[in-house]
Amino acid sequence: MLGSGGREHALAWKLAQSRLLAGAEDKFYAAPGNPGIAEHARCIALNVTDHDSVIAFCEEEQIGLVVVGPEAPLVDGLADSLRARGFAVFGPSKRAAQLEGSKGFTKDLCERAQIPTAGYVRTVSLEAARAALDTFAPPYVLKADGLAAGKGVVIAETRVEADAALADMFGGAFGEAGAEVVIEEFMEGEEASFFALTDGSTIMTFGSAQDHKRVGEGDTGPNTGGMGAYSPARVLDPITRGEVMEKIIGRTVKAMADEGMPYSGVLFAGLMLTREGPKLIEYNCRFGDPECQVMMMRLESDLGELLYACATNSLASVERVKMRRETALTVVMAAQGYPGTPEKGGAIDLGNAEQAGAKVFHAGTLLADGHLVANGGRVLNVTALGGNVTGAQAAAYAAVDAIEAPTLFCRRDIGWREVARETA
């Protein structure tokens, strides 16, 4: 398994329980991993941008399945390089990963395949972008076209703010990701995340979640990679889920296959639930972070068998994904300064946080002289189960309060919309 974040710790935790590893637990490797992942897999130093090195390791260890956690190696084409040498890989090809690697690519595909989404314009210069703003009403939705670690979206309330944000984007604030900017109409509604597995033809519903992107309570402040999540997202009722599968996921998988770039892996659809029905905000070509953490807590199916079936075009032979009925909720503990420059090196004592059944997934941690310290922006994902969101929230925050980490902070309102509905 490739990756080192909270998503990858959750995947490693669940993969370690798979029947595929029965009797071969010492053959489960993670590159580069983190202190939490090291509890389940052998962490190795491997440069994922060096495809030849990854292939050489896989050949030497006779790896039967490669699971690519983060998006960057997929957009870089690592799955293609491995498949060309005969390895089973969970994750899409470079061409298919454009669904996340280029927002403009996805918007154009939606237009061709009649997938409901917001109106948009693609721009490649500051002058063109500012001219395009004249065709939109505030608030303005501005998106860097490429990968920006979940932070490349700006919602500008005024024209002045939009002009300044565009100047930042084209001025290099997001590096190469901002060389092209997509401007979209603002959609009103509630957001939710929907996940489906596919091997390019068969499609299987995996689960749903609701993320909390803003750094501040009440969904205020700048966007982050995600400050917490819960699953399932009950706003995605059975009728809405059916509509998403038919009009969004199904049309996407068919269009990708018809255009010669079949999609294999997990399709993560960020949705806006509008008055006209669900619309696609964006696609990700990997499990969400922190949505993955809550779905792994609920997953009853064998994750290894599911991912292997996707990688070997045999998903049709697998039963439906089975999830626990309980709700799972995760709270991100982030380093002071995030989503700007995070403060690294702060001491962490997990105490008895997991004593009551909660699970602490490591996202940005490091062992220094045998002591756990913060080593990133989002540091821990404190995850718990409950009978509903209210119960899962209480259990998660009880675990948060058992952790001593003076340099970390968290939102105290993860799941607030659903809690309000449950207590109304």
Side-chain angles (χ1 to χ4, degrees):
M1 188 195 67
L2 303 177
S4 62
R7 165 184 50 225
E8 287 77 34
H9 186 185
L11 291 172
W13 173 68
K14 207 67 185 179
L15 285 169
Q17 303 167 30
S18 174
R19 288 184 289 272
L20 297 185
L21 282 169
E25 289 81 2
D26 64 336
K27 294 288 286 182
F28 181 21
Y29 299 94
N34 66 35
I37 293 171
E39 298 175 6
H40 313 290
R42 296 171 62 183
C43 294
I44 55 170
L46 204 57
N47 181 2
V48 297
T49 65
D50 184 345
H51 294 195
D52 289 338
S53 292
V54 177
I55 290 168
F57 177 84
C58 292
E59 289 178 339
E60 182 178 346
E61 298 297 333
Q62 298 180 307
I63 299 298
L65 173 66
V66 180
V67 177
V68 184
E71 62 274 18
L74 294 168
V75 173
D76 187 44
L78 180 59
D80 305 72
S81 298
L82 287 163
R83 287 193 182 103
R85 299 296 286 268
F87 292 102
V89 183
F90 178 78
S93 67
K94 181 175 183 175
R95 292 186 68 201
Q98 290 179 93
L99 282 175
E100 179 166 4
S102 170
K103 292 179 176 62
F105 170 88
T106 300
K107 300 297 287 190
D108 289 350
L109 181 85
C110 288
E111 190 170 61
R112 294 194 300 273
Q114 296 184 309
I115 296 165
T117 189
Y120 72 104
V121 172
R122 299 177 69 172
T123 63
V124 294
S125 71
L126 179 58
E127 294 73 19
R130 284 178 169 163
L133 285 178
D134 293 335
T135 64
F136 292 87
Y140 304 96
V141 181
L142 316 172
K143 297 183 176 181
D145 180 70
L147 299 180
K151 304 170 191 172
V153 178
V154 175
I155 299 175
E157 298 292 337
T158 67
R159 179 63 183 257
V160 172
E161 291 177 9
D163 285 337
L166 288 172
D168 285 343
M169 287 181 168
F170 284 108
F174 300 108
E176 294 182 3
E180 179 176 332
V181 173
V182 177
I183 303 173
E184 295 185 5
E185 73 171 309
F186 180 80
M187 293 189 290
E188 292 190 10
E190 190 165 343
E191 291 188 37
S193 302
F194 184 88
F195 297 81
L197 298 177
T198 180
D199 57 9
S201 53
T202 299
I203 308 171
M204 186 174 292
T205 298
F206 190 85
S208 65
Q210 192 165 56
D211 187 18
H212 297 65
K213 282 288 187 187
R214 299 295 186 99
V215 72
E217 293 177 16
D219 294 328
T220 57
N223 273 337
T224 70
M227 294 300 293
Y230 67 88
S231 173
R234 302 196 191 282
V235 290
L236 283 170
D237 57 58
I239 292 175
T240 306
R241 291 198 301 270
E243 195 172 350
V244 172
M245 283 292 285
E246 176 192 352
K247 296 181 179 180
I248 297 177
I249 303 293
R251 290 178 185 176
T252 299
V253 172
K254 183 179 185 303
M256 295 293 282
D258 289 347
E259 296 184 18
M261 43 187 162
Y263 189 98
S264 172
V266 61
L267 264 179
F268 164 14
L271 304 171
M272 184 68 76
L273 307 181
T274 74
R275 291 179 180 176
E276 296 81 35
K279 294 185 179 182
L280 181 70
I281 300 173
E282 63 183 11
Y283 269 130
N284 295 301
C285 61
R286 36 67 189 182
F287 284 106
D289 189 347
E291 294 96 336
C292 182
Q293 290 84 315
V294 286
M295 291 193 297
M296 292 303 117
M297 282 288 281
R298 296 182 56 234
L299 182 65
E300 290 186 323
S301 299
D302 187 310
L303 180 65
E305 292 182 352
L306 287 171
L307 304 192
Y308 187 74
C310 285
T312 56
N313 301 313
S314 56
L315 193 59
S317 66
V318 177
E319 293 183 27
R320 66 177 179 84
V321 175
K322 296 177 183 177
M323 290 279 184
R324 298 175 65 153
R325 296 181 65 86
E326 294 108 311
T327 294
L329 184 142
T330 190
V331 177
V332 170
M333 297 185 72
Q336 294 292 343
Y338 181 78
T341 303
E343 180 181 338
K344 295 185 179 182
I348 299 170
D349 182 353
L350 298 181
N352 63 353
E354 296 186 339
Q355 190 172 30
K359 180 67 181 174
V360 180
F361 294 112
H362 294 231
T365 63
L366 180 72
L367 281 176
D369 297 324
H371 298 286
L372 194 65
V373 299
N375 190 47
R378 294 184 295 169
V379 180
L380 301 173
N381 309 134
V382 186
T383 315
L385 292 166
N388 55 14
V389 174
T390 303
Q393 184 195 64
Y397 281 114
V400 166
D401 292 337
I403 296 171
E404 292 187 20
T407 65
L408 303 187
F409 74 96
C410 68
R411 282 180 55 168
R412 305 294 304 195
D413 66 343
I414 301 302
W416 66 273
R417 286 190 185 87
E418 193 62 28
V419 168
R421 285 188 280 259
E422 290 175 354
T423 56

